[in-house]
């Protein structure tokens, strides 16, 4: 079954073609970072307008790459939520119009389910059950996954998501949006001994996160450094190092705790922050000591992308799920509301 996937939940326009027999055939992505950077964050109206401009050219590009035509497509999957409502409506409207015109089914896909299943695009894929760390600009969650659609929330951020905290810390240091890659680059030259930032909520029971206090601690450190003048480049590197290490250590501690609580040895990490090399290395070191394993997508599939939507949609479309007439986008959408698939229907091949 050949499925077209469309991702327009925020500031990336993603299009992909996934075949349940042959795997990922082609994908293309346009990032709006250059549009939003001067505003220090995503401007919803600008994001929606750019999705309108880019979606069809990307679709044509993907069809050409895959050597396919519209007549080959057997279903259309699109991000129905969560996300920016205007951006979601662009993708949903286009997807359902294409599906209607082609006479094929359409299905709205949960954005975070797409991220959670993105490691399934790799050659080596995790087996169910596992614990998933979903960590991005909008979400930080730990989820027990027993199968597609079989999700139980274990813990989540009570305030800022980890990616959002990276963006805010970067802004304090005068770095551009998005902040994560810039923090990571500076952290490589930072002195690990100069600052020791707190690991929030690690001394409390449970699996919830909170990064607002760490954000305040970072601001206070920046203010103290500025008392003697402007921040030096080394000041920025040292603060970035301490901030990144605090976030990474917090995530690692909570992941180990979640695996122990659930009695599992497999962790899946997905979302934009999962591309952080320090986080990947730290998790691998920590879990190897406990004979546990971590899986994550290729860097190109960590951020929002059409491939993950095409894959997730293919699993559900192949199981017979379809949009109804009353289907609508959902800016807020708990994953626990998703219907489960039986293990036999969660099929697919690697990219």
């Amino acid at each position: 079954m050949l499925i077209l996937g469309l991702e327009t939940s925020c500031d990336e326009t993603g299009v992909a073609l996934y075949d349940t027999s042959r795997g990922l055939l082609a994908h293309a992505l346009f990032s709006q970072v250059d549009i939003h950077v001067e505003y220090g964050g995503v401007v919803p109206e600008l994001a929606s307008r750019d999705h309108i401009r880019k979606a069809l050219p990307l679709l044509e590009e993907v069809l050409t790459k895959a050597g396919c035509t519209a007549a080959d497509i057997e279903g259309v999957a699109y991000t129905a939520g969560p996300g920016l409502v205007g951006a979601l409506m662009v993708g949903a409207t286009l997807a359902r119009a294409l599906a209607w015109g082609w006479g094929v089914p359409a299905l709205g896909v949960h954005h975070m389910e797409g991220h959670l299943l993105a490691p399934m695009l790799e050659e080596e894929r995790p087996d169910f059950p596992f614990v998933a760390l979903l960590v991005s600009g909008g979400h930080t969650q730990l989820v027990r996954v027993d199968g597609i659609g079989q999700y139980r929330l274990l813990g989540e951020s009570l305030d800022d998501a980890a990616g959002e905290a990276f963006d805010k810390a970067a802004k304090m240091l005068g770095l551009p949006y998005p902040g994560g890659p810039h923090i990571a680059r500076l952290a490589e030259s930072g002195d690990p001994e100069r600052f020791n930032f707190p690991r929030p909520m690690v001394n409390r029971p449970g699996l919830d996160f909170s990064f607002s206090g760490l954000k305040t601690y970072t601001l206070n450190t920046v203010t103290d450094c500025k008392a003697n003048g402007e921040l030096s480049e080394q000041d920025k590197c040292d603060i970035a190092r301490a901030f990144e290490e605090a976030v990474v250590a917090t995530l690692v501690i909570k992941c180990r705790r979640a695996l122990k609580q659930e009695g599992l040895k497999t962790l899946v990490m997905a979302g934009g922050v999962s591309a952080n090399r320090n986080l990947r290395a730290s998790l691998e070191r920590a879990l190897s000591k406990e004979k546990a394993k971590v899986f994550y997508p290729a860097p190109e599939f960590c951020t929002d992308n059409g491939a993950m939507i095409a894959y997730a949609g293919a699993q559900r479309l192949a199981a017979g799920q379809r949009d109804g007439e009353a289907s609508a986008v959902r800016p807020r959408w708990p994953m626990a509301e998703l219907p489960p698939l039986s293990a036999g229907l969660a099929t697919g091949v690697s990219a």
Side-chain angles (χ1 to χ4, degrees):
M1 190 174 190
L2 180 61
I3 303 301
L4 170 68
L6 300 176
E7 158 60 26
T8 64
S9 66
C10 190
D11 60 342
E12 273 119 1
T13 311
V15 181
L17 283 170
Y18 181 86
D19 189 281
T20 52
S21 298
R22 297 178 289 166
L24 182 64
L25 302 186
H27 67 97
L29 182 73
F30 180 81
S31 173
Q32 301 176 5
V33 167
D34 291 343
I35 295 173
H36 303 290
V37 65
E38 64 179 297
Y39 303 102
V42 177
V43 181
E45 176 67 17
L46 296 181
S48 300
R49 290 178 180 273
D50 204 62
H51 287 311
I52 294 172
R53 286 191 288 265
K54 297 299 190 303
L56 285 177
L58 288 175
L59 171 57
E60 293 174 359
E61 177 184 337
V62 165
L63 285 171
T64 299
K65 284 181 179 178
C68 297
T69 67
D72 298 317
I73 295 173
E74 299 170 85
V76 182
Y78 62 93
T79 303
L84 302 175
V85 64
L88 292 170
M89 288 178 67
V90 172
T93 302
L94 175 60
R96 299 190 72 179
L98 291 173
W100 184 84
W102 294 335
V104 300
L107 179 67
V109 171
H110 194 290
H111 178 73
M112 296 311 294
E113 180 173 69
H115 275 303
L116 187 152
L117 297 177
M120 301 297 186
L121 293 165
E122 303 305 312
E123 184 174 350
E124 186 180 9
R125 300 179 295 166
D127 294 322
F128 300 116
F130 55 77
V131 170
L133 171 66
L134 302 176
V135 57
S136 66
H139 298 81
T140 302
Q141 298 178 331
L142 282 165
V143 181
R144 180 185 171 108
V145 181
D146 289 295
I148 294 180
Q150 299 176 48
Y151 310 130
R152 179 162 57 86
L153 182 65
L154 303 176
E156 62 185 336
S157 180
L158 304 178
D159 39 61
D160 293 350
E164 184 181 6
F166 268 105
D167 289 339
K168 291 179 178 179
K171 189 173 183 179
M172 296 174 197
L173 297 175
L175 302 174
Y177 170 87
H182 298 286
I183 290 280
R185 177 180 56 81
L186 287 184
E188 292 177 357
S189 302
D191 179 358
E193 304 297 329
R194 183 176 177 189
F195 300 115
N196 183 24
F197 283 17
R199 279 60 170 156
M201 294 185 69
V202 297
N203 294 323
R204 301 182 189 179
L207 296 170
D208 287 331
F209 302 89
S210 172
F211 294 106
S212 61
L214 178 60
K215 179 182 63 178
T216 301
Y217 195 96
T218 303
L219 178 60
N220 291 338
T221 304
V222 169
T223 302
D224 290 344
C225 290
K226 282 184 175 179
N228 298 319
E230 290 300 310
L231 286 178
S232 68
E233 192 64 21
Q234 191 59 50
D235 287 335
K236 294 180 181 180
C237 291
D238 295 344
I239 293 172
R241 176 69 175 262
F243 176 85
E244 183 186 59
E245 288 192 347
V247 173
V248 166
T250 300
L251 294 173
V252 170
I253 290 169
K254 292 300 178 84
C255 286
R256 292 177 65 189
R257 187 180 295 176
L259 289 170
K260 183 177 181 180
Q261 173 183 299
E262 298 301 310
L264 298 175
K265 293 291 185 179
T266 303
L267 177 77
V268 163
M269 178 174 63
V273 180
S274 68
N276 183 283
R277 289 184 294 179
N278 187 8
L279 177 57
R280 291 189 176 202
S282 297
L283 274 172
E284 288 178 351
R285 285 195 302 268
L287 297 189
S288 65
K289 297 176 183 177
E290 300 173 10
K291 297 183 179 180
K293 191 168 184 180
V294 58
F295 294 82
Y296 38 73
E300 62 185 328
F301 299 133
C302 289
T303 57
D304 297 348
N305 64 88
M308 68 183 192
I309 301 303
Y311 178 86
Q315 309 313 304
R316 291 187 173 276
L317 284 162
Q321 293 187 15
R322 307 286 189 270
D323 271 355
E325 291 184 3
S327 296
V329 299
R330 299 184 61 178
R332 296 182 182 276
W333 188 5
M335 275 207 307
E337 296 180 4
L338 293 173
L341 300 186
S342 67
L345 292 172
T347 59
V349 299
S350 60

